[in-house]
Amino acid sequence: MTLLASVVSCSRVRLFACFLRLGSQQASPLQLHTGASLAAKSYYEVLVLGGGSGGISMAARMKRKVGAENVAIVEPSETHFYQPIWTLVGAGAKPLSSSGRPTANVIPSGVEWIKARVVDLNPDKNCIHTDDDKKISYKYLIIALGIQLDYEKIKSLPEGFAHPKIGSNYSVRTVEKTWKALQDFKEGNAIFTFPNTPVKCAGAPQKIMYLSEAYFRKTGKRPKANIIFNTSLGAIFGVKKYADALQKIIQERALTVNYKQNLIEVRADKQEAVFENLDKPGETQVISYEMLHVTPPMSPPDVLKTSPVADAAGWVDVDKDTLQHKRYPNVFGIGDCTNLPTSKTAAAVAAQSGILDRTISLIMKNQTPVKKYDGYTSCPLVTGYNRVILAEFNYNAEPLETFPFDQSKERLSMYLMKADMMPFLYWNLMLRGYWGGPAFLRKLFHLGKS
């Protein structure tokens, strides 16, 4: 019996169990190689900017449309990271080594890797320029440059990370410092922050808070820990169903949440954090800490901010239904660098990749795109070392759940999905252009409803 036949023959409950077992397999994934290195050409039918999740996924999909020799990726980094797992790395639940692989091994076979940084986009002339003074032209351009971390917008960072007691799960250089600060905690304030900017994986700043609280309980340190979440936002989460569930956890675990508080300075030598009250600009508060987790301000990459493809805020200006650029019909955007009005997550990128694949297919045939992106995104809210609330929702902040049960409840099964199944899907399906989000699963699970 084929894998597909065996999956379809399962009941919904058995299907879920089968899926979890598939995700938890630890077999070494097949690797993709670029093969013999060729001299980079000056023109490609499809040029992809960025070698993150969106860029690699779309390159794999475009390879099947136009041939590997007609696709190139511009990406300077030697290592590709699965960043969603850094939440668990910062809490000591996963090793950092599990999150990265050589970029050369994830670029689709035969696709040209241009190891350089984009310094200029000229969509009026269908070309870009790189930091090694190369001009590259294209017929179709896919922008997948991600989001920029702006630690320096907080006074005394990033140099403050040289001190102990402070970490950040958003950088490969500082995520292990979070775990060290957690282990070294003795007593006092454990502070977790959320900046006054858009961020990728907006649930991550509070996930590490829940994990830290669980670690303190496990190690007997909880009575001596005052856990504080200072967020620039006015609510704990943007979807009411999940916000209500999180508020219950916050109350049950005696966590302190302060809204409209923005971190503006870290005095790492004194172990002090300075926050501005966004409701009263100029009013600040200094809080001492025994542990501090910083979520940095974020922004579009600098190269995009002044580019013709950007909107007034610097994000790639795309149609929210098709991901086609609003002014340049042969330019497309995907992921964190775009102005799509949904949360910036890997799950959103997966769903977008399927839509963008269809959009480009029709554009290449001089047809009008018809498949619409509904804003699907997902945030596995890790609330402990074995529990997750799986938030899934659309543009309208309405739940768009995959599984046939209430996903606002903490569940072990959802933790296993976050910790084991999703990395498996990411490396083996999504980066190869075969995973466009859970829409297929959602249909399967709901087929039996009557």
Side-chain angles (χ1 to χ4, degrees), residues 91 179 182-183 185-186 190 192 206-227 248-255 291 382-388 410:
W179 174 226
L182 192 53
Q183 291 174 295
F185 185 93
K186 293 180 175 62
F192 305 85
Q206 60 182 295
K207 295 177 194 180
I208 187 60
M209 171 181 66
Y210 302 127
L211 284 162
S212 297
E213 194 275 340
Y215 178 80
F216 293 152
R217 275 190 282 118
K218 182 172 65 174
T219 56
K221 298 177 181 179
R222 183 64 183 94
K224 296 182 178 181
N226 181 30
I227 300 174
K248 290 180 181 178
I249 292 173
I250 288 167
Q251 293 171 5
E252 290 169 356
R253 300 180 192 175
L255 308 174
M291 172 187 177
V382 184
T383 55
Y385 283 90
N386 59 2
R387 290 292 183 272
V388 158
E410 295 178 279

Side-chain angles (χ1 to χ4, degrees), residues 286-336:
V286 180
I287 308 177
S288 62
Y289 63 82
E290 171 68 2
M291 172 187 177
L292 175 65
H293 177 268
V294 177
T295 300
M298 303 181 201
S299 67
D302 287 339
V303 68
L304 292 179
K305 290 175 182 174
T306 57
S307 165
V309 302
D311 66 7
W315 307 100
V316 180
D317 194 14
V318 297
D319 182 279
K320 73 182 185 68
D321 295 325
T322 65
L323 282 71
Q324 183 180 27
H325 197 274
K326 291 180 180 177
R327 298 185 301 280
Y328 300 101
N330 65 329
V331 176
F332 310 86
I334 185 171
D336 297 351

Side-chain angles (χ1 to χ4, degrees), residues 293-412:
H293 177 268
V294 177
T295 300
M298 303 181 201
S299 67
D302 287 339
V303 68
L304 292 179
K305 290 175 182 174
T306 57
S307 165
V309 302
D311 66 7
W315 307 100
V316 180
D317 194 14
V318 297
D319 182 279
K320 73 182 185 68
D321 295 325
T322 65
L323 282 71
Q324 183 180 27
H325 197 274
K326 291 180 180 177
R327 298 185 301 280
Y328 300 101
N330 65 329
V331 176
F332 310 86
I334 185 171
D336 297 351
C337 66
T338 68
N339 60 359
L340 294 169
T342 192
S343 292
K344 300 178 183 296
T345 70
V349 173
Q352 292 164 21
S353 68
I355 299 297
L356 184 52
D357 189 3
R358 295 180 180 89
T359 291
I360 295 177
S361 293
L362 291 173
I363 295 295
M364 287 178 170
K365 299 173 184 176
N366 294 317
Q367 297 177 14
T368 302
V370 291
K371 188 73 173 178
K372 293 186 176 181
Y373 174 50
D374 58 8
Y376 171 84
T377 190
S378 174
C379 182
L381 293 157
V382 184
T383 55
Y385 283 90
N386 59 2
R387 290 292 183 272
V388 158
I389 290 173
L390 181 60
E392 294 181 291
F393 48 97
N394 61 17
Y395 276 138
N396 299 320
E398 300 166 336
L400 191 62
E401 298 183 342
T402 298
F403 301 106
F405 48 69
D406 184 358
Q407 290 180 199
S408 68
K409 305 293 184 184
E410 295 178 279
R411 297 180 188 273
L412 171 62

